[in-house]
Amino acid sequence: MTLRSFTATACAVGLTLAIAAPAAVAQDWEAASVVNARGGLRGAIAPSTAWEDVQPGTRVKAGDTLKTAGGASAELVFPTGARLALGENTILRLQDLEGLSGRVMAGRVRVTAPPEGLTTLVAGSLRLVGTDAEAVVERAGGAWRVAVLAGTFRITEAGKAPASVDAGRSAIFAGGEPRYSVISRAAWQDLTAGFGAEGGAAVAGAPAAAATNANKWVAAGLSALLPGAGQLYAGEVGRGLLYMGCEFALLGTGFYGVFYGQKQMALYAGAGLIGLNLISPLDAVLTTSLTPAPLAGLAPDFPSRSTPALIP
């Protein structure tokens, strides 16, 4: 081999590697890994169009479709650090992994945006953008529901002005103007269920403080009138009944002491009533901050477990 032919061959090999390496990196960048698969996870992974079992570690890319059976869940980890979890009875067709696009979707998914950069989820006519945030997106009953578990998501519906939804609140998009509500404790438990043992930081804790000052003062005022009433307003039935039970017990003890000449008993009961009437409003404020009270007149939560798949 002459020096000229060797040089030409080396240049050709180098050029081929230079072109192939970025393509391989780009292809890897656009692939997501399946982790924490639990139960029956099936997928149509290109080039195949048939449903087959999907195991943890499988790489999925744009054009692939995943679906979970009842009691099953899975989580996708993207190169950006974003995570997308599929709840049970959910179907999702990936169209653009860079934007976490799932335009064909039924059921419930949870998107977790890392602290660095923007994470965008496109679901049907909705576009969610967030950083260091977490939300559950649900398609059921012909409507989209977005519940923000942590941080803030900026949500844009096709042809409409964007809106920001903070942690502890949800929005329902069913045509017309979106309907907003505070996430109740029951809804919170339902939203964080069905994704398997692995979950984001928001799932392990209580809902972020989302109640307004008016809600807090209403709870405080109710508990000032009757200890425990503010806790009942905040949805804490057990705490409210406990405060009310103590109130009536102390009142009964005080009346007994007054009518039967037990002055010391009456004094102790009076001191207890004063302390209870000071503590209960403060506790009601804290309880309302940790557990947003459901707003009256709002649409009920959409079920997800009975949602039929869009793709057979």
Side-chain angles (χ1 to χ4, degrees), residues 35-71:
V35 298
N36 302 325
R38 179 176 64 92
L41 175 63
R42 309 267 295 169
I45 311 299
S48 173
T49 58
W51 292 108
E52 57 188 29
D53 293 335
V54 176
Q55 304 299 326
T58 300
R59 308 283 285 179
V60 295
K61 54 191 178 299
D64 294 339
T65 305
L66 297 172
K67 68 176 179 179
T68 58

Coordinates of all heavy atoms in Angstrom, one line a residue, residues 35-71:
V35 N -37.5 1.6 33.8 CA -37.0 1.2 35.2 C -38.3 1.0 36.0 O -39.4 1.4 35.7 CB -36.1 2.3 35.8 CG1 -34.9 2.5 35.0 CG2 -36.9 3.6 36.0
N36 N -38.1 0.3 37.1 CA -39.2 0.1 38.1 C -40.4 -0.5 37.5 O -41.5 -0.2 37.9 CB -39.5 1.4 38.8 CG -38.3 2.0 39.5 OD1 -37.4 1.2 40.0 ND2 -38.2 3.3 39.6
A37 N -40.3 -1.4 36.5 CA -41.5 -2.0 35.9 C -42.1 -3.0 36.9 O -41.4 -3.8 37.5 CB -41.1 -2.7 34.6
R38 N -43.4 -2.9 37.0 CA -44.1 -3.8 38.0 C -45.3 -4.3 37.4 O -46.1 -3.5 36.9 CB -44.4 -3.0 39.3 CG -45.1 -3.8 40.4 CD -45.3 -2.9 41.6 NE -46.1 -1.7 41.4 CZ -47.4 -1.7 41.5 NH1 -48.0 -2.8 42.0 NH2 -48.1 -0.6 41.3
G39 N -45.5 -5.6 37.4 CA -46.8 -6.1 36.8 C -46.6 -6.3 35.3 O -45.5 -6.5 34.8
G40 N -47.8 -6.2 34.6 CA -47.8 -6.5 33.2 C -47.5 -5.3 32.4 O -48.4 -4.5 32.1
L41 N -46.3 -5.0 32.0 CA -45.9 -3.9 31.1 C -45.7 -4.5 29.7 O -44.9 -5.4 29.5 CB -44.6 -3.2 31.6 CG -44.1 -2.1 30.7 CD1 -45.1 -1.0 30.6 CD2 -42.7 -1.6 31.2
R42 N -46.4 -4.0 28.7 CA -46.3 -4.4 27.4 C -46.0 -3.2 26.5 O -46.2 -2.0 26.9 CB -47.7 -5.0 26.9 CG -48.3 -6.0 27.8 CD -48.0 -7.4 27.4 NE -48.5 -7.7 26.1 CZ -48.1 -8.8 25.5 NH1 -47.3 -9.7 26.0 NH2 -48.7 -9.1 24.3
G43 N -45.4 -3.5 25.3 CA -45.0 -2.5 24.5 C -44.9 -2.9 23.0 O -44.7 -4.1 22.7
A44 N -45.1 -1.9 22.1 CA -44.8 -2.1 20.7 C -43.6 -1.3 20.4 O -43.6 -0.1 20.2 CB -46.0 -1.6 19.9
I45 N -42.4 -2.0 20.4 CA -41.1 -1.4 20.3 C -40.6 -1.6 18.9 O -40.5 -2.7 18.4 CB -40.1 -2.0 21.3 CG1 -40.7 -2.1 22.7 CG2 -38.8 -1.2 21.3 CD1 -41.1 -0.8 23.3
A46 N -40.4 -0.4 18.2 CA -39.9 -0.5 16.8 C -38.6 -1.3 16.7 O -37.8 -1.2 17.6 CB -39.7 1.0 16.3
P47 N -38.5 -2.0 15.6 CA -39.3 -2.0 14.4 C -40.5 -2.9 14.5 O -41.3 -2.9 13.5 CB -38.3 -2.6 13.3 CG -37.4 -3.5 14.1 CD -37.2 -2.9 15.4
S48 N -40.7 -3.6 15.6 CA -41.9 -4.5 15.7 C -43.1 -3.6 16.0 O -43.0 -2.6 16.7 CB -41.7 -5.5 16.8 OG -42.8 -6.2 17.1
T49 N -44.3 -4.1 15.5 CA -45.5 -3.4 15.8 C -46.4 -4.3 16.6 O -47.6 -3.9 16.9 CB -46.3 -3.1 14.5 OG1 -46.5 -4.3 13.7 CG2 -45.5 -2.1 13.6
A50 N -45.9 -5.4 17.1 CA -46.7 -6.4 17.9 C -46.5 -6.1 19.3 O -45.4 -5.7 19.7 CB -46.4 -7.8 17.5
W51 N -47.5 -6.3 20.2 CA -47.3 -6.2 21.6 C -46.4 -7.3 22.2 O -46.6 -8.5 21.8 CB -48.7 -6.2 22.3 CG -49.5 -5.0 22.0 CD1 -50.7 -5.0 21.2 CD2 -49.4 -3.7 22.5 NE1 -51.2 -3.7 21.2 CE2 -50.4 -2.9 21.9 CE3 -48.4 -3.1 23.3 CZ2 -50.5 -1.5 22.2 CZ3 -48.5 -1.7 23.5 CH2 -49.6 -1.0 23.0
E52 N -45.5 -6.9 23.0 CA -44.6 -7.9 23.7 C -44.3 -7.4 25.1 O -44.4 -6.2 25.4 CB -43.3 -8.1 22.9 CG -42.6 -6.8 22.6 CD -41.4 -6.9 21.7 OE1 -41.5 -7.8 20.8 OE2 -40.4 -6.2 21.8
D53 N -43.9 -8.4 25.9 CA -43.5 -8.0 27.3 C -42.3 -7.1 27.3 O -41.3 -7.3 26.5 CB -43.2 -9.2 28.1 CG -44.5 -10.1 28.3 OD1 -45.6 -9.5 28.3 OD2 -44.4 -11.3 28.6
V54 N -42.3 -6.1 28.1 CA -41.2 -5.1 28.2 C -40.5 -5.3 29.6 O -41.2 -5.2 30.6 CB -41.7 -3.7 28.0 CG1 -40.5 -2.7 28.2 CG2 -42.3 -3.5 26.6
Q55 N -39.2 -5.5 29.6 CA -38.5 -5.7 30.9 C -37.8 -4.5 31.3 O -37.5 -3.6 30.5 CB -37.5 -6.9 30.7 CG -38.1 -8.2 30.2 CD -39.2 -8.7 31.2 OE1 -39.0 -8.6 32.4 NE2 -40.2 -9.4 30.7
P56 N -37.4 -4.3 32.6 CA -36.6 -3.2 33.0 C -35.3 -3.2 32.3 O -34.7 -4.2 32.0 CB -36.4 -3.5 34.5 CG -37.6 -4.3 34.9 CD -37.9 -5.2 33.7
G57 N -34.9 -2.0 31.9 CA -33.6 -1.8 31.2 C -33.9 -1.7 29.7 O -32.9 -1.3 28.9
T58 N -35.1 -1.9 29.2 CA -35.4 -1.8 27.8 C -35.3 -0.3 27.4 O -35.7 0.6 28.1 CB -36.8 -2.3 27.5 OG1 -36.9 -3.7 27.8 CG2 -37.2 -2.1 26.0
R59 N -34.7 -0.1 26.2 CA -34.6 1.3 25.7 C -35.8 1.6 24.8 O -36.1 0.8 23.9 CB -33.3 1.5 24.9 CG -32.1 1.0 25.7 CD -31.7 2.0 26.7 NE -31.0 3.2 26.1 CZ -30.6 4.3 26.8 NH1 -30.8 4.3 28.1 NH2 -30.0 5.3 26.2
V60 N -36.5 2.7 25.0 CA -37.6 3.1 24.1 C -37.3 4.4 23.5 O -36.5 5.2 24.0 CB -38.9 3.1 24.9 CG1 -39.3 1.8 25.5 CG2 -38.8 4.1 26.1
K61 N -37.9 4.6 22.4 CA -37.6 5.9 21.6 C -38.9 6.4 21.0 O -40.0 5.7 21.1 CB -36.5 5.6 20.6 CG -36.8 4.5 19.6 CD -35.6 4.1 18.8 CE -35.9 2.9 17.9 NZ -36.3 1.7 18.7
A62 N -38.8 7.5 20.3 CA -40.0 8.1 19.7 C -40.6 7.1 18.7 O -39.9 6.4 17.9 CB -39.6 9.4 18.9
G63 N -41.9 6.9 18.7 CA -42.6 6.0 17.9 C -43.0 4.7 18.6 O -43.9 4.0 18.2
D64 N -42.4 4.5 19.8 CA -42.8 3.3 20.6 C -44.0 3.5 21.4 O -44.3 4.7 21.7 CB -41.6 2.9 21.5 CG -40.4 2.4 20.7 OD1 -40.6 2.0 19.5 OD2 -39.3 2.5 21.3
T65 N -44.7 2.5 21.7 CA -46.0 2.6 22.5 C -45.8 1.6 23.7 O -45.4 0.5 23.6 CB -47.2 2.2 21.7 OG1 -47.2 3.0 20.5 CG2 -48.5 2.4 22.5
L66 N -46.2 2.1 24.9 CA -46.2 1.3 26.1 C -47.6 1.3 26.7 O -48.4 2.3 26.6 CB -45.3 1.9 27.1 CG -43.8 1.9 26.7 CD1 -43.0 2.7 27.7 CD2 -43.2 0.5 26.6
K67 N -48.0 0.2 27.3 CA -49.3 0.1 28.1 C -49.1 -0.8 29.3 O -48.3 -1.7 29.3 CB -50.4 -0.4 27.2 CG -50.3 -1.8 26.7 CD -51.5 -2.2 25.9 CE -51.5 -3.7 25.5 NZ -52.7 -4.1 24.7
T68 N -49.8 -0.4 30.3 CA -49.8 -1.2 31.6 C -51.2 -1.8 31.8 O -52.2 -1.2 31.5 CB -49.4 -0.3 32.8 OG1 -50.4 0.8 32.8 CG2 -48.0 0.3 32.6
A69 N -51.1 -2.9 32.5 CA -52.4 -3.6 32.8 C -52.8 -3.1 34.2 O -52.1 -2.3 34.9 CB -52.2 -5.1 32.8
G70 N -53.9 -3.7 34.7 CA -54.4 -3.4 36.1 C -53.4 -3.8 37.1 O -52.9 -4.9 37.0
G71 N -53.0 -3.0 38.0 CA -52.1 -3.3 39.1 C -50.6 -3.2 38.6 O -49.7 -3.5 39.3

